[in-house]
């Protein structure tokens, strides 16, 4: 550690002896300052030697580029809400019944068309004439009743959620059913009238499937 030189005390010169004492004090002060300077020089040299030894031990280094990114483990996949899906399927089965009498629930006509109360007859007419472009379709032909009901419900719900207005539902003509009765087609009628998203539906034109398909108009998606 460096030692600060002591300040000389004021000294009155009154004789030759006093003068000698002053000279002695001056010499002592000069010696102390010289020692302090030498001490500081020694500490600086030791510091340089220490840095040199460290650099020699470490060797040549190169600064890493600053890329601003951090390597993290990928996030685990979101868990599949199995119970939620099961609950939705159960609610769908309970909400859509196979036993609903369409003729007593809502008005239908002899041309197998349907429109909700308050919806004008021109809506069904425009559906028959192909005024609404079919944006999506689903084929239920060949599915078991439970599969067809759940598949149709999920299809209608998702199409409405995406803002789709017009879809086609293929049911088949029932020619392969026992007695060649259109069992699935009749059930689809019952299921559709129970869906709040459905505004109207009509039997498809021959080019679009005829008696084996329905053209369905969905409610417009309400803004959030």
């Amino acid at each position: 550690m460096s030692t600060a030189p002591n300040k000389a005390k004021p000294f009155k010169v009154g004789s030759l002896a006093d003068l000698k004492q002053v000279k002695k004090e001056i010499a002592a002060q000069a010696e102390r300052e010289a020692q302090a300077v030498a001490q500081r020089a020694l500490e600086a040299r030791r510091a340089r030697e220490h840095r040199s030894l460290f650099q020699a031990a470490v060797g040549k280094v190169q600064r890493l580029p600053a890329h601003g990114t951090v390597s993290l483990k990928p996030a685990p996949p979101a868990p599949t809400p199995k119970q939620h899906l099961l609950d939705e399927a159960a609610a769908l089965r309970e909400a859509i019944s196979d036993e609903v009498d369409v003729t007593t629930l809502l008005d239908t006509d002899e041309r197998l068309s349907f429109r909700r109360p308050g919806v004008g007859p021109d809506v069904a007419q425009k559906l028959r004439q192909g005024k609404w472009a079919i944006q999506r379709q689903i084929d239920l032909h060949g599915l078991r009743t439970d599969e067809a009901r759940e598949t149709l419900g999920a299809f209608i719900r998702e199409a409405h959620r995406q803002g789709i207005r017009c879809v086609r539902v293929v049911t088949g003509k029932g020619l392969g059913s026992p007695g060649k009765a259109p069992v699935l087609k009749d059930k689809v009628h019952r299921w559709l009238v129970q869906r709040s998203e459905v505004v109207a539906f009509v039997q498809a034109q021959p080019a679009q499937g005829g008696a084996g398909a329905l053209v369905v108009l969905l409610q417009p998606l309400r803004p959030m």
Side-chain angles (χ1 to χ4, degrees):
M1 298 292 296
S2 60
T3 304
N6 297 327
K7 293 183 179 180
K9 298 180 180 180
F11 192 83
K12 295 182 179 180
V13 179
S15 62
L16 181 59
D18 293 339
L19 181 59
K20 290 181 178 179
Q21 183 63 29
V22 170
K23 290 182 178 180
K24 186 176 180 180
E25 290 291 339
I26 293 174
Q29 182 178 353
E31 183 177 356
R32 287 194 296 269
E33 291 179 353
Q35 289 177 354
V37 171
Q39 182 66 27
R40 289 195 295 270
L42 178 60
E43 291 176 355
R45 182 170 60 82
R46 287 177 178 175
R48 289 194 299 271
E49 291 176 351
H50 181 73
R51 288 195 297 270
S52 299
L53 289 174
F54 177 77
Q55 291 176 355
V58 173
K60 188 176 181 181
V61 297
Q62 182 177 0
R63 186 183 298 274
L64 294 175
H67 46 69
T69 59
V70 179
S71 177
L72 299 176
K73 294 182 178 179
T80 303
K82 293 183 179 179
Q83 187 59 49
H84 177 69
L85 296 177
L86 292 174
D87 292 342
E88 278 197 347
L92 184 62
R93 288 192 297 270
E94 295 173 1
I96 301 179
S97 172
D98 294 343
E99 307 304 325
V100 172
D101 185 352
V102 177
T103 60
T104 60
L105 180 64
L106 293 170
D107 293 335
T108 58
D109 60 30
E110 69 281 359
R111 301 184 65 180
L112 298 178
S113 66
F114 154 79
R115 54 187 172 86
R116 292 200 174 277
V119 177
D122 60 315
V123 174
Q125 184 178 358
K126 289 179 179 179
L127 278 177
R128 286 196 188 96
Q129 295 173 351
K131 300 294 185 181
W132 290 86
I134 295 176
Q135 298 172 276
R136 189 163 295 181
Q137 69 175 13
I138 186 171
D139 189 350
L140 304 176
H141 185 252
L143 297 181
R144 296 195 304 270
T145 298
D146 289 343
E147 293 176 336
R149 179 174 56 235
E150 294 180 9
T151 301
L152 177 63
F155 171 76
I156 294 296
R157 183 172 62 252
E158 182 62 19
H160 179 258
R161 188 185 68 82
Q162 295 181 9
I164 292 174
R165 296 298 312 278
C166 187
V167 299
R168 180 173 62 173
V169 178
V170 178
T171 62
K173 299 179 180 180
L175 299 179
S177 303
K180 296 185 178 181
V183 177
L184 181 59
K185 180 178 179 179
D186 291 341
K187 290 182 180 295
V188 169
H189 290 168
R190 295 186 176 94
W191 299 338
L192 286 176
V193 298
Q194 296 176 74
R195 298 295 309 192
S196 61
E197 302 93 338
V198 175
V199 175
F201 64 77
V202 299
Q203 182 173 294
Q205 296 178 354
Q208 296 176 335
L214 297 170
V215 179
V216 184
L217 181 66
L218 302 181
Q219 297 277 6
L221 185 63
R222 295 179 180 178
M224 297 298 291

